[in-house]
Amino acid sequence: MTLQGLMLVALSALLTTLANLLLRAGILKHGGFSLAVDKVAMGLMGLLTQPQFVAGLFFYGLAAVVWFSVLANQDLSVSYPMLVGLTFVLVAVGAGVFFGESFSWQKILGIMIILYGIVMVARA
């Protein structure tokens, strides 16, 4: 993987993380979301009035555009595991910081294993 590819994967992971955190904040501010048939349409309409949710959708789209560049120029077998692993770690940390979600020793150990895996895949 090239340095530029690595930077683009990291940028896509950061944007995806920001998107997830904003979407969650918007959903929480809205009061939740349900997949019940009679509530989906109204729920989506309500979410689209939440600025944080809309910003999350925007950042997901921006992350996708960055990811398209990675897909065009880097090995998918290296890039995708790095993207998913890095995003997983960043979202877990962000959820702890911004939403007060707990960190058990198992979660911390799992994150450390994922980080090790990212390094191993990047060096492959």
Side-chain angles (χ1 to χ4, degrees), residues 63-76:
V65 170
V66 172
W67 181 245
F68 298 156
S69 179
V70 174
L71 289 175
N73 300 299
Q74 303 298 315
D75 289 341
L76 185 60

Side-chain angles (χ1 to χ4, degrees), residues 4-5 12 14 25 39 41 43 52 58 60 67 72 75 84 102 110 121:
Q4 179 182 4
S12 186
L14 285 170
K39 295 183 181 182
Q52 292 164 318
F58 170 79
Y60 250 133
W67 181 245
D75 289 341
V84 172
S102 65
V121 168

Side-chain angles (χ1 to χ4, degrees), residues 93-109:
V93 170
V97 170
F98 295 109
F99 302 113
E101 295 184 14
S102 65
F103 277 93
S104 64
W105 68 268
Q106 293 100 332
K107 191 181 289 186
I108 293 169
L109 179 60

Side-chain angles (χ1 to χ4, degrees), residues 43-84:
L44 286 174
M45 294 303 293
L47 287 174
L48 292 175
T49 66
Q50 293 296 325
Q52 292 164 318
F53 187 84
V54 173
L57 292 177
F58 170 79
F59 283 109
Y60 250 133
L62 194 55
V65 170
V66 172
W67 181 245
F68 298 156
S69 179
V70 174
L71 289 175
N73 300 299
Q74 303 298 315
D75 289 341
L76 185 60
S77 63
V78 175
S79 303
Y80 189 70
M82 289 181 64
L83 173 73
V84 172

Side-chain angles (χ1 to χ4, degrees), residues 13 16 18 24 27 36 39 42 66 85 89 95 101 114 119-120:
T16 301
L18 181 58
R24 172 132 170 103
I27 289 169
K39 295 183 181 182
M42 290 302 292
V66 172
V89 170
E101 295 184 14
I114 290 168
V119 171
M120 294 301 292

